[in-house]
Amino acid sequence: MRNQETRIRFAAWAMLIAQAGIIFTGGIVRLTGSGLGCSDWPKCTPDSLVPTQAMGFHGLIEFGNRLLAVVLALIGVAILILLWRIRKERKDLFWLNIALTAIVPVQAVMGGITVWTKLNPWVVAGHFVPSAIAVGVAAYFVRRTYDTGVRTGEKAPSPLPALGWAILALTAIVVLFGVLTTGAGPHSGSTISTRNGLDNIWITRLHAFPVWLLVIATIVALVYARKRWAPMVRPLVVLLIVELAQGLIGYIQYFTGVPWVLVAFHMIGLSATIAASVAVLDSAYPRRTHVNADRPVSVVH
């Protein structure tokens, strides 16, 4: 049983990393101008399933992003097999995995629409949002592999649960404005694709405002948690570090002309922010670490 738990946990981490990888490689596609490296969908070209030599570097980049979606589906199937025997005892894990696996074909179709519309920035934004949600669900899935999934009946003292929800909501707002900022920025993914028409300076400022609110909410929650609820301290510290790193990268890239290398690191930090925010909220509602244990989860993984 212990070996099976380890395998499930390892597979859950692989799912989270792959979900974040979809966001990162999708960013690389856009940053390298490879958005139409494959000119068609579901084939790479009307005549070839895979990129041809004539398509060069851009075709490989775009096709690599598509292949990662296949890897995600395979991970989902592997986890389904691992969970099958305990699907009744761990319904939470089973259905979380079903949801994460089901989103793969949805994303694939949305990716196809993105190609067909020649990287319309609004379609690109719609293509990104489910991936951001999937990262959050995958982070929650990982945390559930460290406990029984059964609530202890306790929760963090007020106002920490409310602050946890506020942090998650602000993270969602930050992500949304980040997508709009990206759609107004210089990295369109292709020389023939358009931008969303929003003023780049103003949308960037609107993106920064909820970021500052998020940092303030995180600090306030951390002050309360240090005194009243130890399980939230570590995830809040992790989240604050990620936020500060993201803010630093964001300001540097803004004042240096949005170099693609910094944008790539910003994409990695985006997934980390989502996952850390989920961990913060989840840590306010402890679950049993053993079937017969009533103590709250005190270690954040």
Side-chain angles (χ1 to χ4, degrees):
M1 186 66 180
R2 178 68 64 179
N3 289 337
Q4 185 183 23
E5 290 176 356
T6 301
R7 286 193 292 267
I8 292 172
R9 191 172 298 150
F10 178 83
W13 274 106
M15 173 67 82
L16 174 58
I17 292 170
Q19 293 287 1
I22 283 288
I23 291 179
F24 177 71
T25 56
I28 293 299
V29 168
R30 179 171 53 83
L31 293 169
T32 58
S34 304
L36 295 176
C38 284
S39 60
D40 200 10
W41 187 90
K43 291 183 177 181
C44 192
T45 72
D47 302 317
S48 176
L49 178 64
V50 300
T52 62
Q53 186 174 1
M55 299 168 67
F57 171 77
H58 295 304
L60 292 175
I61 293 293
E62 164 64 10
F63 191 71
N65 180 246
R66 296 186 182 189
L67 282 181
L68 186 54
V70 176
V71 172
L72 259 177
L74 292 175
I75 293 173
V77 172
I79 295 175
L80 179 65
I81 294 172
L82 287 171
L83 291 173
W84 188 254
R85 292 181 61 183
I86 60 170
R87 65 188 184 281
K88 294 182 179 179
E89 293 83 358
R90 292 306 307 264
K91 292 180 181 179
D92 56 336
L93 296 181
F94 182 79
W95 288 109
L96 283 169
N97 180 62
I98 291 294
L100 287 167
T101 305
I103 202 172
V104 175
V106 174
Q107 280 290 74
V109 172
M110 292 184 70
I113 296 173
T114 301
V115 172
W116 293 337
T117 58
K118 305 302 179 185
L119 307 186
N120 179 290
W122 298 103
V123 177
V124 172
H127 183 40
F128 171 82
V129 171
S131 292
I133 294 173
V135 168
V137 175
Y140 183 76
F141 182 52
V142 167
R143 286 182 61 86
R144 291 289 69 76
T145 64
Y146 286 88
D147 56 46
T148 65
V150 178
R151 290 277 307 278
T152 64
E154 299 179 88
K155 70 175 182 179
S158 180
L160 287 170
L163 283 169
W165 283 106
I167 285 170
L168 188 62
L170 284 168
T171 299
I173 294 171
V174 167
V175 171
L176 177 61
F177 277 105
V179 172
L180 295 177
T181 302
T182 297
H187 302 292
S188 63
S190 172
T191 55
I192 68 171
S193 60
T194 60
R195 311 314 291 134
N196 60 23
L198 298 174
D199 184 275
N200 194 33
I201 294 177
W202 279 105
I203 194 63
T204 301
R205 291 174 178 173
L206 286 174
H207 176 45
F209 180 68
V211 170
W212 281 108
L213 291 180
L214 177 60
V215 172
I216 292 170
T218 302
I219 293 173
V220 171
L222 181 58
V223 170
Y224 271 98
R226 284 176 60 87
K227 297 177 181 178
R228 305 178 66 184
W229 191 253
M232 286 186 75
V233 172
R234 188 180 297 178
L236 281 165
V237 169
V238 171
L239 176 60
L240 183 59
I241 292 172
V242 173
E243 289 169 355
L244 294 177
Q246 277 290 83
L248 180 62
I249 293 173
Y251 276 106
I252 292 176
Q253 71 178 13
Y254 177 75
F255 288 112
T256 56
V258 199
W260 74 267
V261 174
L262 287 180
V263 177
F265 278 107
H266 208 51
M267 298 294 289
I268 296 173
L270 170 66
S271 294
T273 302
I274 295 170
S277 297
V278 169
V280 165
L281 176 59
D282 187 54
S283 63
Y285 302 91
R287 287 168 172 77
R288 296 175 182 174
T289 56
H290 187 272
V291 175
N292 298 316
D294 293 321
R295 62 185 179 85
V297 179
S298 60
V299 178
V300 178
H301 298 275

